[in-house]
Amino acid sequence: HMRACIARQLPEWNLSVFAQAAGVIYEKRPDWDAEKYLADTRKLICREREYLINALKETGKDNIRIYDSVANYILFYTELPLYELLLKKQILIRNCENYRGLSKGYYRIAVRGQAENERLISALREVTEK
């Protein structure tokens, strides 16, 4: 019961002290090639971001306005209640209505791996077709 109470108070995108410590330890391994990891990660993000943007344009047509991105996330606007619709499919996107300068209808999605991005787009297609 206490664990559930604490979990409800944590931010949605929480990174624990233990996860941070594990990252520091892993980075110091002699077989760790940080430059290769960064290069591979950049390629993945660029490829998957392009996939997500194109899929959002195709799926959303006139219902979704996408903002250009060079980061590992995409900001978009729609009047569809996507946060609630996708949450029912166990997919959490960031509702940005409480960001300064934004309002209801702004959402942010993270650029993830191919399988996760495909799952998001599939669910998005399901909820927008209704």
Side-chain angles (χ1 to χ4, degrees), residues 48-119:
E48 292 300 317
R49 182 179 54 231
E50 185 176 336
Y51 164 75
L52 280 172
I53 288 171
N54 290 332
L56 279 169
K57 286 179 181 175
E58 177 188 311
T59 303
K61 298 187 180 38
D62 296 327
N63 295 326
I64 297 177
R65 182 180 344 136
I66 303 161
Y67 294 87
D68 289 336
S69 175
V70 293
N72 63 339
Y73 60 86
I74 299 165
L75 177 70
F76 62 94
Y77 173 83
T78 182
E79 292 184 7
L80 300 170
L82 286 186
Y83 181 86
E84 294 81 6
L85 293 170
L86 291 173
L87 193 58
K88 289 177 184 175
K89 297 190 169 292
Q90 298 181 330
I91 295 177
L92 184 62
I93 63 173
R94 180 66 167 99
N95 181 346
C96 298
E97 70 182 50
N98 65 345
Y99 282 29
R100 183 177 298 156
L102 300 181
S103 59
K104 185 175 180 179
Y106 284 92
Y107 302 99
R108 189 179 81 184
I109 56 173
V111 177
R112 309 290 298 255
Q114 184 177 3
E116 291 170 296
N117 292 335
E118 288 175 355
R119 181 171 174 251

